[in-house]
Amino acid sequence: MQAEQMLEQWQTQGWLRPLDLAFASFIARYEPAQPLVWLAAALCSYQLKQGHVCLDLTKLHSDPLLTLGLGGELAASQHAEVQQQLIAVSLNQWLHALSQSEVVDIGIGHNPLVLSGKRLYLRRYWQYEQDIASQINQRLLQHELLTAQLPDGVLLPLIGQLFQQNATSQTSVQPDWQQLACALACRTAFTVITGGPGTGKTTTVVRLLALLQLLQLRQQAPLLEIRLAAPTGKAAARLKDSISGAVNRLAALDINGFKQIEQAIPTTVSTLHRLLGVRPGSKKLQFNRYQPLPLDILVLDEASMVDVEMMAALLQALPVTARIILLGDKDQLSSVEAGALLAELCKKASAGDYLPATVAWLAEQTGQHIPDELISKDGSLLSQHIVMLRHSHRFGQDSGIGQLAAMVNKGQLNSAIWQEYPAELLLLKEAGTSSAGFQQLVLNGSNLANGYGYQHYLSLISDAPLQPDQQDLWAQQILSAYSSFQVLAATRKGELGVEQLNLQIQHILAKAGLIVPEHQWYAGRPVMITRNDYQLGLMNGDIGICLPKLIVQADGSVVSTLRVAFVVSDGIKWVIPARLNAVETVFAMTVHKSQGSEFSHTVLAVSGHDTGMLNRELFYTAITRASARFSLICAEPRQLEKAVQRQTLRAGGLSLALAD
């Protein structure tokens, strides 16, 4: 079959996008005699939709369907044909055609495609990856200079003060990875602190910031300018609460000099868009390589959610002398857009990979000893800048949620776990949303402890205050109650996709008399912002609830009208519904959208047949959104065993571009 026919057939089958076909046609105008280059260009473009930074040609040849993620995109009858079409091209044929092409460079240049080893990039994404690697390498190589600037013996007593609670804790676990993270970060301009839920990432970073500021005082130097950031509004709000709590706990300790630095540890958190000064209707940024951010330290939470384009822009905007600290869970879902930066950076985090010299220095500075199995004489430079927190304070050995998450993370699933932890875990074998079990779950969490359903927040709406000045507190209580329970879905489409779930849950709540959805906007409707609105100061992912609000008229009379309440940094923002154009109802949300959030009770609804959409990272992320209870709706639980074996590995070359 001719390349042009093949491309058109793939688009007809519904998996190749018109954009991918248009890009292939563009390439064909310059390379009319190289059909393999057209095909490679189309597939390289398509891979961006799948979240890959590049097209891995080795994997494409060995397993085309898996590499392109077509298991769930194509009917089983089409698998063999597409597999045969692509596997017929050898790896050498791909490489020869691309290396001889006039539209492909092997590095610096102006052509639209870049061939790096056996990976094919769109030039823009190759440049993002190169920029990220360059900025990280620059900071990795500063560790010897920063280590030399630390006075001998200065860290041990300071770390002892900051972690005095850990030392006296009955549940103290050795080594104390939080102390090790703080010490390691003092001698580097680039640090990654990763760990699962409840491992203390926020607590650690607050103590790290206090330690860095205390070091400034000891050296009679100016206090450092620190900024906190997160990818979304939800993640920023959650980090703000966590940071504020951690600062208050630290303030309660008797630490010499802490009063002087307390105000220099910020609790305000910006989204990345706000931090960089994204201009409405434009991709231009206020802060960039020519006008860097005015800061000494940047802490970025939920780093797994950041794509390569945003990370490249962020690192370019940092002053050359600034430190950056990345926080996140390496096992969570990667960004919606292209890239899996945290996962790539943390490939060896579980293994430690620490050099003997690093281990000796840490023992001297903290008194903590890294286990022998985590030490390697061949450890990479990057590994000396990464700490994995390994002890969960939220999920102990007797936690069902913790056990389930750990099991899934290892690619395992024992069906007995649902019976072993009935207080925390529920498996509902339902085929759809019409069952009594599903309705009971949505309404009140099946009457279980910590199992609030949506009835909980909706019941508070009827207790509306009689005075306008009491409305903000009331709205905060409702938004807080809403966030205690959340239904999640793996996909947007399908019977148990977000779109259908929202309609069905709305019907259940209306039938119970909790909402009256006669119009688009009604009291109790939860909505999520789906596109940044810079004029309102609301970002993609922010959640609000439509509520009746008392408005004082010019003549002094009071009328009630609908407004949408959002939690913002300084309280509650009330917005006229008509002003919100890019919103969607959010009784249910995708697991991707739930990242950066935590709910007391989380419900995951998945289809009874294997669509290929549920995988290990998605399942793990859904489980770890729950702090007290996790419920799973799945008519055929045996498919989950296959899902946890399905691991998403995004193609990219960042780890190869970093310094050894």
Side-chain angles (χ1 to χ4, degrees):
M1 185 182 292
Q2 296 295 318
E4 189 173 357
Q5 293 174 302
M6 198 179 299
L7 289 168
E8 290 175 353
Q9 181 193 60
W10 291 346
Q11 188 186 349
T12 302
Q13 289 172 338
W15 64 271
L16 198 69
R17 302 173 299 172
L19 175 64
D20 308 324
L21 186 60
F23 182 60
S25 299
F26 167 76
I27 294 296
R29 290 204 297 270
Y30 294 91
E31 287 277 35
Q34 290 288 348
L36 281 185
V37 178
W38 317 345
L39 291 175
L43 296 177
C44 187
S45 173
Y46 172 77
Q47 286 297 74
L48 289 178
K49 174 198 169 190
Q50 305 297 100
H52 300 284
V53 179
C54 61
L55 174 65
D56 188 318
L57 295 166
T58 302
K59 292 180 179 178
L60 177 68
H61 174 67
S62 63
D63 195 337
L65 293 180
L66 180 63
T67 302
L68 298 172
L70 295 179
E73 294 278 348
L74 292 175
S77 59
Q78 299 171 319
H79 285 186
E81 183 181 10
V82 174
Q83 180 94 350
Q84 187 60 40
Q85 288 169 336
L86 289 170
I87 213 166
V89 184
S90 71
L91 177 59
N92 284 336
Q93 285 176 302
W94 285 118
L95 294 174
H96 178 75
L98 292 166
S99 62
Q100 300 299 312
S101 172
E102 304 243 345
V103 297
V104 180
D105 289 321
I106 59 170
I108 301 299
H110 302 285
N111 283 323
L113 294 167
V114 176
L115 182 64
S116 178
K118 297 173 184 177
R119 301 183 309 279
L120 183 67
Y121 292 81
L122 299 185
R123 170 162 297 283
R124 188 156 59 102
Y125 286 85
W126 176 83
Q127 191 62 58
Y128 291 148
E129 195 170 85
Q130 293 299 305
D131 290 344
I132 292 169
S134 174
Q135 290 291 326
I136 292 178
N137 281 335
Q138 183 179 351
R139 287 173 168 79
L140 292 181
L141 296 171
Q142 293 181 33
H143 73 284
E144 290 186 3
L145 174 62
L146 291 171
T147 303
Q149 292 174 356
L150 288 171
D152 291 340
V154 71
L155 289 184
L156 188 59
L158 292 178
I159 288 177
Q161 288 187 68
L162 291 167
F163 287 90
Q164 56 189 271
Q165 288 178 322
N166 290 31
T168 59
S169 171
Q170 295 296 318
T171 58
S172 180
V173 177
Q174 294 297 321
D176 188 330
W177 288 99
Q178 295 184 357
Q179 294 189 41
L180 291 168
C182 288
L184 208 60
C186 285
R187 68 172 200 166
T188 175
F190 179 81
T191 307
V192 179
I193 301 175
T194 186
T199 51
K201 295 185 290 292
T202 306
T203 297
T204 302
V205 83
V206 166
R207 295 181 188 187
L208 168 57
L209 297 178
L211 178 58
L212 290 169
Q213 296 288 36
L214 287 170
L215 286 172
Q216 292 295 107
L217 288 181
R218 294 294 186 276
Q219 298 175 56
Q220 298 183 332
L223 291 177
L224 301 166
E225 183 65 32
I226 301 169
R227 296 291 299 273
L228 308 175
T232 66
K234 282 191 303 176
R238 186 177 168 206
L239 178 61
K240 179 180 184 297
D241 292 340
S242 299
I243 290 283
S244 298
V247 170
N248 290 337
R249 289 192 297 274
L250 203 54
L253 301 177
D254 184 19
I255 298 172
N256 295 331
F258 185 74
K259 291 296 182 184
Q260 293 175 264
I261 66 170
E262 186 174 1
Q263 298 303 314
I265 300 177
T267 56
T268 300
V269 184
S270 302
T271 63
L272 286 178
H273 286 85
R274 290 192 184 105
L275 178 75
L276 293 173
V278 176
R279 295 171 182 172
S282 169
K283 283 203 167 187
K284 291 185 178 179
L285 306 174
Q286 179 183 352
F287 296 103
N288 49 53
R289 72 177 70 190
Y290 306 109
Q291 185 176 350
L293 289 158
L295 54 80
D296 300 304
I297 300 175
L298 175 66
V299 176
L300 174 60
D301 195 22
E302 297 291 352
S304 64
M305 299 171 63
V306 183
D307 61 87
V308 290
E309 182 176 6
M310 179 58 78
M311 184 61 81
L314 177 65
L315 292 174
Q316 292 280 9
L318 287 182
V320 293
T321 57
R323 301 173 188 251
I324 181 168
I325 302 162
L326 303 183
L327 305 179
D329 186 343
K330 67 180 179 62
D331 298 312
Q332 269 190 205
L333 282 168
S334 298
S335 59
V336 175
E337 303 298 330
L341 292 168
L342 193 65
E344 277 208 79
L345 292 170
C346 295
K347 281 182 177 179
K348 297 182 180 180
S350 297
D353 202 39
Y354 294 113
L355 291 167
T358 302
V359 173
W361 185 86
L362 287 170
E364 178 186 339
Q365 299 297 330
T366 66
Q368 302 291 318
H369 299 278
I370 291 177
D372 290 345
E373 61 268 23
L374 302 182
I375 304 172
S376 170
K377 62 181 178 59
D378 299 317
S380 68
L381 178 58
L382 175 63
S383 294
Q384 316 315 302
H385 298 251
I386 296 175
V387 176
M388 178 177 168
L389 305 181
R390 298 162 190 261
H391 176 67
S392 177
H393 302 275
R394 182 190 308 166
F395 302 133
Q397 292 297 315
D398 59 346
S399 165
I401 295 174
Q403 293 291 325
L404 179 61
M407 193 182 294
V408 168
N409 214 6
K410 294 175 183 176
Q412 305 167 357
L413 191 60
N414 184 344
S415 60
I417 194 169
W418 304 99
Q419 287 76 45
E420 292 173 6
Y421 298 94
E424 291 182 57
L425 303 175
L426 173 67
L427 174 60
L428 194 62
K429 298 179 183 179
E430 305 287 358
T433 58
S434 58
S435 70
F438 178 78
Q439 294 178 36
Q440 184 80 343
L441 195 61
V442 165
L443 287 171
N444 54 31
S446 296
N447 289 323
L448 296 162
N450 300 316
Y452 291 130
Y454 288 132
Q455 183 175 354
H456 176 49
Y457 91 88
L458 290 169
S459 65
L460 299 178
I461 296 176
S462 59
D463 294 328
L466 300 177
Q467 300 300 323
D469 61 357
Q470 299 173 353
Q471 293 180 114
D472 283 9
L473 178 59
W474 169 67
Q476 283 179 329
Q477 292 171 339
I478 291 173
L479 283 157
S480 176
Y482 166 82
S483 66
S484 67
F485 178 84
Q486 185 61 59
V487 176
L488 304 179
T491 62
R492 292 196 59 82
K493 305 291 184 181
E495 183 183 7
L496 290 179
V498 163
E499 294 175 1
Q500 282 301 312
L501 281 171
N502 274 314
L503 290 173
Q504 291 300 318
I505 294 171
Q506 180 177 276
H507 175 72
I508 291 169
L509 298 175
K511 187 177 178 181
L514 294 169
I515 58 174
V516 185
E518 295 178 350
H519 305 287
Q520 178 187 9
W521 291 99
Y522 55 86
R525 181 192 177 196
V527 294
M528 177 186 287
I529 301 293
T530 58
R531 187 173 63 244
N532 294 340
D533 190 322
Y534 299 100
Q535 291 183 332
L536 287 177
L538 297 174
M539 298 292 120
N540 186 359
D542 287 349
I543 290 178
I545 296 179
C546 186
L547 298 171
K549 187 178 191 299
L550 298 176
I551 304 293
V552 180
Q553 305 282 68
D555 61 2
S557 62
V558 178
V559 298
S560 179
T561 187
L562 292 176
R563 293 289 187 270
V564 185
F566 293 87
V567 175
V568 292
S569 58
D570 55 351
I572 293 291
K573 177 187 285 288
W574 296 90
V575 181
I576 297 172
R579 177 62 184 79
L580 298 171
N581 298 316
V583 295
E584 60 184 28
T585 302
V586 68
F587 290 118
M589 68 174 72
T590 61
V591 178
H592 270 101
K593 287 288 189 180
S594 75
Q595 291 187 96
S597 299
E598 179 186 307
F599 314 99
S600 296
H601 185 178
T602 299
V603 178
L604 175 64
V606 297
S607 172
H609 59 278
D610 187 13
T611 63
M613 296 302 294
L614 184 63
N615 56 45
R616 185 185 304 178
E617 293 82 5
L618 189 143
F619 197 11
Y620 170 83
T621 302
I623 295 165
T624 54
R625 297 312 89 207
S627 61
R629 183 162 186 82
F630 175 73
S631 297
L632 177 67
I633 301 170
C634 182
E636 184 44 73
R638 283 181 299 180
Q639 68 147 306
L640 300 174
E641 297 175 12
K642 185 187 296 184
V644 299
Q645 295 293 327
R646 189 183 296 124
Q647 192 171 14
T648 303
L649 299 174
R650 291 188 171 180
L654 176 62
S655 59
L656 299 175
L658 294 174
D660 294 330

